[in-house]
Amino acid sequence: MQPMPWTGMPSKQGHQPSKSVRQKLLENRMERSVLTFALVVVMTALGFSRAEQVNNSASGGLLWTSGDGHLVGNAETDESLNDHEEFDGGFPSLDGMLQWAIGHSDPAKLELKAHDVQQLSADELQKRQMELKELVEKLEMPSDAKLMKIAIDDLNNLSLSLVDRHRALEELLVLVEAIDNANDLHKMGGLSVVIRELTHSDSGVRTKCAWIIGKASQNNPIVQEQVLELGALPTLITMVKSSFTEEAIKALYAVSSVIRNNQNGIELFYSEGGDLMVQGVLSNVTTDVRLQRRSVSLVGDLAEHQLEHSSKPEPRFFSNCALVRPVLDLTTSNDLDLQEKVLVTVKNLLMLKSADLLVVDGFCGLKGALERMRHQLQQEEDRREYAIDVEGLCKEVNSIYLEKLNKVSQVPT
Ligand SMILES: *[C@@H]1O[C@H](CO)[C@@H](O)[C@H](O)[C@H]1NC(C)=O
Ligand SMILES: *[C@@H]1O[C@H](CO)[C@@H](O)[C@H](O)[C@H]1NC(C)=O
């Protein structure tokens, strides 16, 4: 079995005896809680006997027939760009774990065993659950709360070395993936510490802090409000302008997570100049493509939120060629994923009330952009099916545009 893909920290320097114990605890938590727990849950659900569980746990064979041991998605820097599909390594519920484990199991074996499960009575199932609980208790894993406290205490230690500071942040990054831990972070003083460290002199530390904030507040209104109350949003918005690309990307990830579907957050975003920041990123031709992708998604999310709350006045931000044109310019990218995001965003922008005026004027050159894009998509050879989907989206955007143009032109001025 492969060890956890650790996020590339040097592990030899700065080792105190207690550190290696901590490392073990965390690795233990990752490997045992996730692997063994998932294994046991699936086997229990599928009606394996206890003896079989032990045997299979030892060989670790069942779940990993097709897996590569790559459990937690945060090792890749690109994770922040796929926040909707991101794998939640924390397994907040037994159900989620079961779903995940089934998804990673051998379908042939599952089918075979599914038959047996149906034969189990409610009593038998309950008995299995009790056995499972017993097993888990025997694993004697340190609680997440304990691990979080150690990491937070370390971050509060001013004489901690930079290497250890990075390590403590990585530990928090793993821990806050579980929603219960994210919810406890503030109570334990962790959120204030992480926000304070956003101004650390080391860009790597700032990057990880933004990442933690983004992860903890993702789809989590409680943490979103806490972050807003602690005043971190303006700092994060400023960080997006960082000349360190990773820092800028994680800061934008955090900004998006904190304000997503959050009216307070969105209002603060506008009043703190977040709109100008996004516009700046989009119109900068040398911007990293990952930053562009995330910016386009953010604009799309903001427009969607606006559409869902149509009683609120529409910010001028949307109905402005200073925003729309740089978005359309990205259609010349040969990154299909980015093109798709651009189209979804343009679709939302077109549907806003305040788009009428721009539509009369050709929506900042939409027609030409769509034509270029279609032409380009027809040349796409490697990912033909995806290209066809994106072409379909092109057509949809075009017909929304024409419909709106037709409607607007009929209104006497
Ligand atoms: C703070 O960190 C230093 C250096 O790692 C260590 O020697 C010291 O024991 C720590 N202090 C506390 C209170 O943990
Ligand atoms: C454009 O982006 C590059 C790379 O991220 C950055 O170095 C540069 O300062 C940006 N330019 C402006 C005008 O913001």
Side-chain angles (χ1 to χ4, degrees), residues 182 212-221 223-224 227 253-254 257-258:
I212 292 169
I213 294 170
K215 243 189 214 315
S217 53
Q218 191 169 305
N219 301 320
N220 189 326
V223 178
Q224 282 180 330
V227 173
Y253 166 56
S257 291
V258 170

Side-chain angles (χ1 to χ4, degrees), residues 24-269:
K24 268 211 187 92
L25 284 184
L26 199 74
E27 276 166 16
N28 235 13
R29 171 188 177 274
M30 302 300 302
E31 289 186 3
R32 284 167 86 182
S33 73
V34 180
L35 281 179
T36 315
F37 207 162
L39 201 63
V40 168
V41 170
V42 160
M43 289 179 159
T44 303
L46 296 181
F48 278 79
S49 74
R50 217 111 154 223
E52 276 176 293
Q53 282 180 16
V54 171
N55 282 339
N56 276 297
S57 293
S59 71
L62 179 72
L63 282 178
W64 301 105
T65 44
S66 62
D68 55 5
H70 209 88
L71 272 172
V72 179
N74 70 12
E76 298 299 325
T77 51
D78 226 29
E79 73 42 64
S80 60
L81 306 163
N82 292 321
D83 50 345
H84 306 307
E85 308 142 33
E86 199 173 320
F87 167 62
D88 182 2
F91 287 125
S93 73
L94 217 63
D95 231 31
M97 185 181 301
L98 184 58
Q99 289 303 323
W100 176 86
I102 286 175
H104 287 74
S105 306
D106 184 340
K109 283 185 188 162
L110 277 187
E111 202 172 323
L112 213 68
K113 282 289 165 189
H115 179 71
D116 297 350
V117 177
Q118 287 159 10
Q119 319 277 324
L120 286 179
S121 68
D123 273 359
E124 279 169 323
L125 272 177
Q126 201 180 8
K127 189 165 151 259
R128 292 218 177 273
Q129 275 168 5
M130 294 304 290
E131 284 178 0
L132 167 67
K133 201 160 162 274
E134 245 172 69
L135 259 177
V136 171
E137 275 160 12
K138 277 204 196 113
L139 292 175
E140 285 177 10
M141 286 179 286
S143 71
D144 284 3
K146 176 126 196 258
L147 292 171
M148 288 218 287
K149 185 173 184 315
I150 297 171
I152 293 165
D153 285 350
D154 266 4
L155 292 173
N156 275 322
N157 179 348
L158 291 176
S159 42
L160 196 74
S161 71
L162 193 57
V163 172
D164 288 341
R165 192 163 294 272
H166 274 274
R167 192 181 351 256
L169 289 170
E170 288 185 4
E171 289 166 0
L172 280 185
L173 192 57
V174 171
L175 289 160
V176 299
E177 283 194 11
I179 191 161
D180 291 342
N181 294 343
N183 287 341
D184 285 345
L185 187 64
H186 185 40
K187 248 181 281 173
M188 301 178 71
L191 202 51
S192 315
V193 175
V194 170
I195 288 172
R196 188 191 68 209
E197 300 276 293
L198 283 176
T199 56
H200 195 277
S201 60
D202 180 69
S203 150
V205 167
R206 298 195 299 269
T207 304
K208 288 201 174 92
C209 289
W211 197 355
I212 292 169
I213 294 170
K215 243 189 214 315
S217 53
Q218 191 169 305
N219 301 320
N220 189 326
I222 297 172
V223 178
Q224 282 180 330
E225 286 304 329
Q226 291 166 344
V227 173
L228 291 170
E229 232 160 77
L230 292 169
L233 188 61
T235 314
L236 291 166
I237 290 175
T238 309
M239 278 171 73
V240 179
K241 295 174 202 145
S242 165
S243 52
F244 297 94
T245 306
E246 277 313 308
E247 180 177 347
I249 290 172
K250 293 299 186 272
L252 190 52
Y253 166 56
V255 169
S256 306
S257 291
V258 170
I259 68 171
R260 191 153 204 267
N261 291 325
N262 184 309
Q263 190 61 38
N264 282 339
I266 290 173
E267 280 168 18
L268 190 62
F269 172 80

Side-chain angles (χ1 to χ4, degrees), residues 395-406:
K395 284 203 190 98
E396 195 186 339
V397 168
N398 192 44
S399 61
I400 293 175
Y401 168 69
L402 291 178
E403 201 177 299
K404 194 144 189 174
L405 185 64
N406 199 23

